[in-house]
Amino acid sequence: MFEGLDDIDWASMEHAYGSAEEIPALLWALRSPDTEERRTALDRFYGAVHHQGDVYPCTAASLPFLFELAADGATPDRAAVVALLVSIGRESLERGFEDDGTEIEYYPPSGYAQAVAFLRERGGEFAGLARDSDPDVRLAAIGGLGLFLDDADRAATVLRERLAAEQGIAARLQVVQAAAALALRLPAASHPVMDWLAGLAADPAQGPVTRLAALVQRARCAPDEIGGDVVPAAVVLLRETAGALPVRPIAPAPIRPAASTDTVAPQIVAAFEDLDRHTRVFAPTAVLLRTFHEVLGARLPERTAVLAEQLSSPDPGSRLDAVRMSGELMRTWRGDHTRLLLLVADQLTTADEEVAAEAAAVLEACHPIAAPAREALAAHIDAQCAAHGSDVWAAPRGHLRRSHQESVRALARLGDTRALPSLLAALDSDVDAWRAIQVAGHLPQAADQLVPRLCKHLRGIDLSQQWTEMSANAILTALAVLGDPAAVPAVVDTLGAAVRHEQHGVTRSALKTLETFGPAAAVARDTIRSLTTATDAHVQPAAVAALWAVGRDPAEVMPLLLGLLDDSITFRIGDAADLLGEIGPPASVALPRLRGLLTHEYEWVRVHCAAALWEIGGEAEAPAVLDALLQAMAQNPATANHVVACLDRMGPLAAPALSLLREQLALPRRGGRFQSIDHDEELQRVSRTLIARLDPQTPAGPSPSTTRSGCP
């Protein structure tokens, strides 16, 4: 067993966490009779050697030995080993090669090409594994037929055989998926496989799940050939599938050891809980339907029709999967999502609290366009309080608590004060108060009630503990947005504590908060001035900006800003340029340096400096500013929000940007910074307003994302 294993210099290779010298021990542990030892080894293999799908040279070097384990009937958990082999190969294909098959070069070198080459040399062995007596091994191996077996006829024959023999839904779905992968990979298999899939989809002798899978995978093979009959047929099959599959309660999440909130920020704990939730799949058709949505792409009405059927399923797991897919659609694609928002909001009234919680979470994540769900959210919150009492924010049942909290957060992000009672209860009880703090800034009309409570929480944070940084920053951000100068003493005290404990992140946040208060924070001017010479890369520019805000003295800040313009750290240059633009014409001494920075290699520097040039120099600088902005936006679409905001300020002089603005609005996918809903909705709004102003004869038209959603 494992001949040649010790001849490999494992110590010379690395995985995600350092030396790969542990791999031989992991391989041997996968043969252990001890269940826990095998589980630990497999977890370590996925966590380090195949970390988040990566394939390192050491991962590829382990493949021959993993094959030995898979082929040896004495190996416990053979199915898990086969699944690992297929995962390594699938990730190698997806990450290591362009769509045309060209290998992508990585530095340091990856193991993608090596893994694929080896697995295709051994591709025939997947045919044997797919016929194994162990159904779990067969299930794990089927995917390898489509990905690695280069004999198209043999692969297709085995897949047809397996579909006829396998009765389990999971195996049949895998067979049809593998057939599509085979057709997409090998031209010789394309037409025969697609014809077979089309026949399966139309065959009434097949079950609805198999027919639906064949319909979807046939569409995946040729998305350009999707006709008007495909989605209606899929909806009918979805309905039949819902009637054919048993309705089961959602399986509880695996229990994990609770992290201590005395040493880990609650936001981090929640992030891992969210990660666990989003890696779970609840219905056997979830992966298939996700594939269908990917194939349909920008066909939003068709996708909404499919999701409407998914959301009407009697199976709670199917609806939960559909709620998540709905969120992904709205976060990724532009359009009028009113119907889908209302369909998701309907899930708030379900008896299954986990589905309701997920629906509320999706509405919260999509809050810039979630206005159509406002009344449903408010009604849900009222119903929960009536049924469970006013302290439902702290309900002991996890799904009920999450459902309420996410609904309150979603309503608060819409600026609706009906969320306020629960937020105040959270801040007063300190139960999951951090969740309330994150959305408090969206209710400025309630600043008189929120600010005292936020300040109390801020004063209660122990900045001698590094893990408290996230909580302090969240409160400071909320106070900055609320803008009530009554918070100045608490923020000044926090600034002092952050400096003493060298909490640079909190120091920067406190400075930014004081900046929003302007002259009302003048009491902190000496402390702020002392931080303008700080060595931390983020603290110094934040201190300079705060110093300008509280003192409004150009003579005091100009030397500091000119020094930052000469910095080698790009974000410091950008911060300095932004502040120079805020100062405006009195900062004209900076014009020569800003002009020189329009040739900087980093497009973000050029964008910030171009905007500053416009604010300081005005019309005389317009040609150079416009050229720099348009080039940067064409090079990096993520700059679009900054670019369009400056173009908006330039007014008629931005006319040469009209074609680029129209091209931007014509894109079906969300754009702007981070391609997030909030940045994209703002980008669309400003772009449409600017187009209408620059070319009144050709109206840009209302944004389909906001026409019926009530967004500003």
Side-chain angles (χ1 to χ4, degrees):
M1 194 71 184
F2 295 158
E3 182 179 353
L5 178 65
D6 295 330
D7 296 335
I8 296 175
D9 187 3
W10 297 101
S12 68
M13 294 184 278
E14 292 189 344
H15 55 45
Y17 297 107
S19 172
E21 60 187 343
E22 66 177 310
I23 288 181
L26 294 178
L27 291 167
W28 281 110
L30 291 174
R31 280 182 54 84
S32 170
D34 182 83
T35 302
E36 183 61 24
E37 185 177 355
R38 295 195 306 273
R39 187 196 64 78
T40 301
L42 189 65
D43 285 349
R44 180 63 177 174
F45 217 103
Y46 275 106
V49 187
H50 188 33
H51 176 69
Q52 295 182 353
D54 276 341
V55 176
Y56 310 94
C58 66
T59 319
S62 68
L63 290 174
F65 309 106
L66 290 173
F67 253 110
E68 283 193 62
L69 289 168
D72 186 353
T75 300
D77 300 334
R78 289 172 59 227
V81 176
V82 176
L84 176 59
L85 282 165
V86 173
S87 176
I88 291 170
R90 179 181 292 110
E91 294 291 344
S92 296
L93 285 166
E94 291 180 357
R95 302 181 185 209
F97 298 86
E98 303 283 5
D99 291 340
D100 62 2
T102 304
E103 181 183 347
I104 300 172
E105 293 187 9
Y106 286 88
Y107 186 82
S110 72
Y112 297 133
Q114 181 184 350
V116 170
F118 176 83
L119 288 166
R120 286 189 171 157
E121 287 176 5
R122 306 284 290 270
E125 296 185 35
F126 284 97
L129 292 169
R131 295 180 171 120
D132 196 271
S133 59
D134 185 333
D136 292 331
V137 171
R138 296 199 304 271
L139 178 63
I142 287 168
L145 294 170
L147 297 173
F148 312 125
L149 181 52
D150 286 335
D151 185 334
D153 290 339
R154 184 183 179 196
T157 297
V158 177
L159 288 171
R160 288 173 180 268
E161 168 197 304
R162 295 324 311 156
L163 187 70
E166 298 288 352
Q167 298 303 312
I169 289 175
R172 295 177 71 80
L173 289 173
Q174 282 285 358
V175 168
V176 178
Q177 179 180 329
L182 182 69
L184 289 167
R185 181 169 65 89
L186 299 178
S190 179
H191 290 297
V193 168
M194 286 197 292
D195 289 344
W196 180 50
L197 293 175
L200 288 175
D203 184 358
Q206 301 292 334
V209 178
T210 302
R211 294 180 64 196
L212 178 64
L215 182 76
V216 169
Q217 298 298 348
R218 172 63 176 79
R220 176 187 166 204
C221 291
D224 294 338
E225 299 177 11
I226 295 176
D229 60 334
V230 171
V231 169
V235 169
V236 170
L237 289 171
L238 261 175
R239 196 168 300 147
E240 293 178 9
T241 296
L245 295 178
V247 175
R248 295 190 177 97
I250 296 173
I255 298 175
R256 297 183 181 274
S260 171
T261 53
D262 293 334
T263 56
V264 180
Q267 297 92 328
I268 298 295
V269 176
F272 278 100
E273 290 174 351
D274 283 342
L275 185 62
D276 281 346
R277 271 192 289 270
H278 285 91
T279 54
R280 294 171 65 203
V281 174
F282 298 94
T285 55
V287 174
L288 174 69
L289 291 170
R290 192 175 296 279
T291 298
F292 195 30
H293 285 291
E294 290 172 358
V295 170
L296 291 173
R299 297 175 173 91
L300 300 190
E302 292 92 335
R303 291 182 66 178
T304 301
V306 173
L307 285 166
E309 190 62 36
Q310 291 178 247
L311 289 165
S312 68
S313 171
D315 179 58
S318 297
R319 296 200 311 277
L320 199 155
D321 288 328
V323 167
R324 290 183 179 166
M325 293 179 203
S326 299
E328 291 163 9
L329 171 63
M330 293 186 285
R331 289 192 296 270
T332 306
W333 299 92
R334 294 171 171 174
D336 183 356
H337 296 302
T338 302
R339 182 189 178 199
L340 193 52
L341 286 163
L342 294 174
L343 287 169
V344 171
D346 286 344
Q347 298 300 316
L348 295 171
T349 60
T350 179
D352 193 291
E353 291 172 353
E354 188 165 3
V355 177
E358 197 63 34
V362 164
L363 294 172
E364 196 255 345
C366 297
H367 68 270
I369 60 171
R374 182 193 300 269
E375 296 307 317
L377 286 164
H380 182 53
I381 292 167
D382 286 345
Q384 288 179 317
C385 290
H388 305 286
S390 59
D391 60 347
V392 64
W393 177 278
R397 294 209 310 270
H399 295 315
L400 172 61
R401 177 193 294 206
R402 181 169 176 255
S403 172
H404 182 75
Q405 290 183 358
E406 295 290 3
S407 297
V408 169
R409 284 160 55 91
L411 195 61
R413 288 191 187 275
L414 291 171
D416 196 312
T417 54
R418 286 176 287 185
L420 187 60
S422 288
L423 295 183
L424 296 180
L427 293 172
D428 290 340
S429 70
D430 203 23
V431 174
D432 293 337
W434 66 273
R435 294 184 182 272
I437 289 166
Q438 286 184 335
V439 300
H442 291 269
L443 296 172
Q445 64 271 51
D448 59 328
Q449 298 179 72
L450 291 168
V451 168
R453 290 172 168 87
L454 292 171
C455 289
K456 180 180 178 181
H457 278 273
L458 186 61
R459 292 187 184 280
I461 291 178
D462 181 5
L463 290 178
S464 68
Q465 304 297 317
Q466 290 294 320
W467 62 270
T468 60
E469 177 180 347
M470 293 182 72
S471 296
N473 288 346
I475 298 172
L476 290 165
T477 298
L479 290 172
V481 175
L482 293 172
D484 187 346
V488 167
V491 177
V492 171
D493 290 346
T494 298
L495 176 62
V499 171
R500 287 194 305 275
H501 294 294
E502 298 184 346
Q503 286 262 35
H504 301 307
V506 179
T507 300
R508 175 175 178 264
S509 294
L511 288 167
K512 284 187 166 296
T513 303
L514 293 173
E515 178 188 352
T516 64
F517 296 137
V523 65
R525 188 169 183 175
D526 290 342
T527 302
I528 293 170
R529 185 182 293 112
S530 71
L531 292 170
T532 60
T533 58
T535 57
D536 181 79
H538 293 277
V539 168
Q540 185 184 9
V544 175
L547 186 62
W548 162 252
V550 302
R552 313 296 290 184
D553 183 357
E556 187 173 33
V557 299
M558 282 304 299
L560 298 167
L561 290 172
L562 293 174
L564 287 171
L565 284 183
D566 294 331
D567 205 291
S568 60
I569 301 176
T570 55
F571 72 77
R572 287 160 67 95
I573 301 173
D575 287 348
D578 289 347
L579 186 52
L580 287 165
E582 183 180 336
I583 294 171
S588 59
V589 67
L591 286 173
R593 297 194 197 187
L594 290 169
R595 293 187 193 110
L597 286 166
L598 293 187
T599 61
H600 196 281
E601 62 181 1
Y602 189 36
E603 67 276 4
W604 277 105
V605 168
R606 301 198 300 272
V607 166
H608 287 285
C609 290
L613 266 176
W614 168 255
E615 299 299 334
I616 298 168
E619 187 171 340
E621 305 292 339
V625 168
L626 194 59
D627 184 58
L629 292 176
L630 299 186
Q631 284 190 24
M633 185 168 162
Q635 179 182 350
N636 182 359
T639 63
N641 288 93
H642 286 74
V643 170
V644 170
C646 186
L647 293 174
D648 189 44
R649 296 193 296 272
M650 293 177 72
L653 293 175
L658 269 170
S659 61
L660 186 60
L661 290 170
R662 290 194 177 103
E663 289 174 10
Q664 171 60 235
L665 284 178
L667 297 174
R669 281 185 176 271
R670 295 202 179 274
R673 195 79 185 273
F674 308 121
Q675 296 181 308
S676 62
I677 289 185
D678 51 351
H679 286 104
D680 181 67
E681 289 293 316
E682 177 67 8
L683 174 61
Q684 291 186 71
R685 185 190 66 78
V686 177
S687 295
R688 292 179 185 279
T689 302
L690 182 54
I691 290 172
R693 188 189 313 145
L694 294 175
D695 188 9
Q697 303 304 315
T698 311
S703 167
S705 304
T706 57
T707 304
R708 297 170 56 195
S709 70
C711 293

